[in-house]
Amino acid sequence: MDRPRSAVRLVGSDALTDTAPYAYAATVDAGARLVFAAGACPLDEAGATVAPGDIAAQARQCVANLVTALEAAGASLEDVAYTRVLVATTVREELVTAWGVVHDAFGEHEVPSTLHGVTVLGYPDQLVEIEAVAAVR
C-alpha cells in the first residue's frame, strides 16, 4: 500500500477483515504540509447544484470539485490521507452508490474513509459532500 512519492502511507491490518475496500489507517511523513479541504459539494461553476436526485452524478461532481481544490493547494487524490463522504439518505444502497463513485475515483489509493448517511446538506437539492485531508511534501 505504500506510495513512495506521496507523504501518505496507507496502513492495513491482518487482524481486521479484508472485505473493506480501503485502508484502515494512514500515516503522514514528518514535515509534510497538511491540506484540509472543505466539503466538496456537487456545484457547477455558477454555484448551482448539479443533477438533483442523482447520487452518482452528484458524487462525480463532488470528486471533480475536490480534485480542483486539491490542485489549488498543490495536492492530488494520491496525497489524500482521509475522507468523509456524506450522503443525504437513510437508504444503505444509496450510500453504497456514492461510495462506489468515490472509491473508483481514488483507484488503487484506497484511502481510509468514513461514509455517513445524514439528514440534510447545505445546498438546495444537495445529496452528497466529500471532505478530505491530504499531505504533501
Side-chain angles (χ1 to χ4, degrees):
M1 288 187 166
D2 278 351
R3 297 214 175 272
R5 49 184 224 119
S6 176
V8 176
R9 301 283 178 266
L10 302 180
V11 180
S13 172
D14 292 336
L16 299 170
T17 181
D18 63 357
T19 60
Y22 50 81
Y24 281 99
T27 64
V28 174
D29 292 345
R33 179 174 51 89
L34 295 179
V35 177
F36 296 88
C41 299
L43 304 178
D44 64 18
E45 290 179 2
T49 303
V50 303
D54 187 336
I55 288 174
Q58 286 198 8
R60 283 190 293 276
Q61 184 68 44
C62 289
V63 170
N65 290 344
L66 175 60
V67 167
T68 299
L70 290 171
E71 287 174 350
S76 71
L77 290 180
E78 286 187 354
D79 297 312
V80 173
Y82 178 77
T83 67
R84 179 177 296 127
V85 180
L86 308 169
V87 186
T89 188
T90 60
V91 179
R92 183 181 177 283
E93 291 78 13
E94 293 177 347
L95 289 169
V96 171
T97 295
W99 172 249
V101 171
V102 174
H103 180 262
D104 289 350
F106 277 85
E108 291 183 22
H109 184 63
E110 295 181 332
V111 62
S113 188
T114 302
L115 178 62
H116 292 276
V118 298
T119 304
V120 66
L121 291 166
Y123 290 97
D125 299 316
Q126 180 184 0
L127 299 174
V128 182
E129 187 163 333
I130 304 169
E131 299 174 0
V133 177
V136 293
R137 293 184 199 282

